[in-house]
Amino acid sequence: MFRYSILFLLLASFLPCLNCAAQQLPAERVIDLSTPDNATLKATFFPSVKPGPGVLLLHQCNRQRKVWDALARQLAAAGINVLTVDLPGFGESSGTPYDKLSPQEAQAQGKKWPADIDVAFQYLTSQPGVRREVIGVGGASCGVDNSIQTARRHPREVKSLVLLSGGTDYSGRQFLRQANQLPVFAAMADDDEFRQTVEIMPWVFSLSSNPGKQFVHYATGGHGADMFAVHPELRGKIVDLYVTTLIKSPGQAPAATPAWVAPPSAEVLNLMEQPGGPAKVAQKLQDARKVDPKAVFFDEANVNFMGYEHLQAGDTKGALEILKLNAIAFPESPNVYDSLSDLYVATGEKDLARQNASKALELVASDTKDPEQLRNAIRDSAQQKLKQLGPSPQ
């Protein structure tokens, strides 16, 4: 009995020290950052117990920075400094609430995000104890594009990416195709409230050729950081990724086994952006429809968005070929022809622009599939183009 009592006393005196490291974790700091246009960003810095790398976490556009709190604390405990930030109009930052902005105002706000995020990035890398040359970036939903663009602007510092339930634009996709040295971790759930994400996330992930990339695919879990509530182990997987790529072997991760296999939709979307790719996709679709007349390889909205991105990037020819694929796959959609009319306006082919705008008006009159707001927008767009183009020359 005496021997066990001594052992108990020894353990009792030792156990409190097991919590010493946790107790010594520095206090979180809520800070204000000023953007180039004098907006105030509210951010939280989670310092680690000792000098180490940093991680910048960027929220989704239907949430705010606090969705990252639990993950940030786990990372800080693992030796990684973390900064979370509310963009203007989100959470506690200044500005009109993002969900109250018009589409035009939201687009204008989005153009300011790179400068706003760089303010946060510079704050993180300037903190004592942060290894400014070893940084990870993570984001959810619209934070995915913001994360990829941050890595694109800071390729020397950013050593790994975590991407949850989101996509990126043409420039971001081109960056991922070229950044074969950058480990990428991605996660999504099939019950994502934004259905296009289910196709977009594997496509974006497939662009990376880094052998250490990891993809986590859930049947349920929702959108972006909402997955943490259903799958708390996801935080642990992210911590492991950052510990590996920022502490143990900066910029490197062991090859995933088994190797991830891209779904057919991701391969098709990727092929569309390759030279001669749209023609190959058109042929694949035509061949498939000989067997199944209703065969569909891609989401209409995703391809529509891709076409406009190529147009904005100056690739008018490529944009037109991409949008023609939607006309093959979705010949009854009025939006397909309204979009094609925009492309023909851009190429100066006025007759084809008129024909497609007229086709859009014809189809929208009997459209019962699209919501009323979209139908009205298509009708207004087509009518405006026809008015601007004037009647066909006799």
Side-chain angles (χ1 to χ4, degrees):
M1 179 67 70
F2 176 79
R3 182 180 302 169
Y4 290 118
S5 298
I6 294 294
L7 180 60
F8 176 80
L9 289 173
L10 287 173
L11 285 172
S13 64
F14 175 71
L15 284 173
C17 292
L18 292 178
N19 295 321
C20 290
Q23 293 171 353
Q24 294 171 0
L25 196 64
E28 302 160 12
R29 303 201 303 267
V30 177
I31 55 174
D32 289 336
L33 302 173
S34 182
T35 70
D37 62 348
N38 296 319
T40 298
L41 304 181
K42 192 69 72 173
T44 305
F45 182 61
F46 300 79
S48 68
V49 71
K50 59 183 179 180
V55 164
L56 176 63
L57 295 175
L58 303 171
H59 62 75
Q60 56 209 70
C61 283
N62 60 347
R63 298 290 184 269
Q64 37 71 36
R65 78 184 193 281
K66 293 183 180 180
V67 299
W68 299 118
D69 283 358
L71 173 61
R73 292 175 184 128
Q74 286 182 242
L75 288 168
I80 298 172
N81 303 278
V82 181
L83 185 70
T84 64
V85 60
D86 285 332
L87 291 172
F90 292 93
E92 298 174 310
S93 289
S94 66
T96 303
Y98 189 76
D99 60 0
K100 304 300 183 184
L101 298 176
S102 69
Q104 294 77 17
E105 291 171 331
Q107 186 176 24
Q109 185 75 285
K111 291 181 179 179
K112 299 178 182 179
W113 285 348
D116 298 340
I117 292 168
D118 278 353
V119 168
F121 189 92
Q122 290 161 13
Y123 178 87
L124 173 63
T125 58
S126 69
Q127 295 310 293
V130 175
R131 292 183 60 191
R132 61 171 298 120
E133 76 284 0
V134 184
I135 303 295
V137 184
S141 191
C142 66
V144 166
D145 181 59
N146 285 333
S147 297
I148 293 169
Q149 299 298 344
T150 301
R152 182 170 167 249
R153 294 192 303 274
H154 303 280
R156 293 183 179 179
E157 295 92 344
V158 177
K159 305 301 182 186
S160 59
L161 286 173
V162 167
L163 312 174
L164 309 181
S165 312
T168 187
D169 67 10
Y170 181 53
S171 65
R173 295 194 295 274
Q174 291 294 81
F175 170 75
L176 285 179
R177 290 184 176 103
Q178 298 163 4
N180 56 9
Q181 81 290 347
L182 188 66
V184 175
F185 177 100
M188 57 154 279
D190 287 335
D191 66 346
D192 195 298
E193 62 185 292
F194 302 101
R195 298 306 304 159
Q196 294 168 17
T197 303
V198 178
E199 181 177 87
I200 290 174
M201 190 77 260
W203 172 37
V204 169
F205 183 75
S206 74
L207 304 178
S208 169
S209 60
N210 187 279
K213 66 182 183 180
Q214 301 176 41
F215 191 86
V216 177
H217 187 177
Y218 294 119
T220 61
H223 185 64
D226 296 350
M227 288 187 285
F228 293 143
V230 182
H231 302 284
E233 78 283 357
L234 178 58
R235 292 193 189 96
K237 294 178 184 293
I238 293 172
V239 172
D240 289 344
L241 178 280
Y242 279 135
V243 167
T244 297
T245 59
L246 302 180
I247 296 178
K248 294 181 179 179
S249 54
Q252 298 181 16
T257 54
W260 182 78
V261 178
S265 61
E267 294 179 345
V268 166
L269 290 171
N270 196 24
L271 181 58
M272 286 184 196
E273 294 194 303
Q274 307 305 317
K280 294 177 181 177
V281 173
Q283 187 61 56
K284 284 177 176 286
L285 184 57
Q286 290 170 357
D287 291 344
R289 289 199 164 177
K290 292 176 182 177
V291 178
D292 177 6
K294 295 183 179 180
V296 175
F297 288 175
F298 46 79
D299 180 85
E300 176 191 343
N302 287 342
V303 172
N304 194 70
F305 191 72
M306 186 198 303
Y308 278 104
E309 286 182 323
H310 279 255
L311 177 63
Q312 293 170 357
D315 180 21
T316 306
K317 181 180 179 181
L320 182 58
E321 294 307 308
I322 289 169
L323 289 184
K324 284 180 178 178
L325 291 172
N326 261 350
I328 298 172
F330 308 99
E332 301 304 317
S333 169
N335 193 53
V336 164
Y337 298 97
D338 183 59
S339 296
L340 277 172
S341 70
D342 285 339
L343 264 295
Y344 285 120
V345 168
T347 61
E349 299 174 86
K350 293 184 178 181
D351 284 343
L352 288 172
R354 290 188 191 92
Q355 290 173 24
N356 281 275
S358 297
K359 181 72 170 178
L361 285 176
E362 176 188 333
L363 290 173
V364 81
S366 57
D367 181 20
T368 58
K369 178 181 176 182
D370 293 316
E372 182 179 2
Q373 185 177 10
L374 177 57
R375 295 199 304 270
N376 291 338
I378 294 169
R379 185 181 298 108
D380 292 345
S381 174
Q383 288 175 341
Q384 185 177 8
K385 279 193 288 287
L386 287 172
K387 183 177 180 180
Q388 291 174 343
L389 291 166
S392 301
Q394 300 298 323

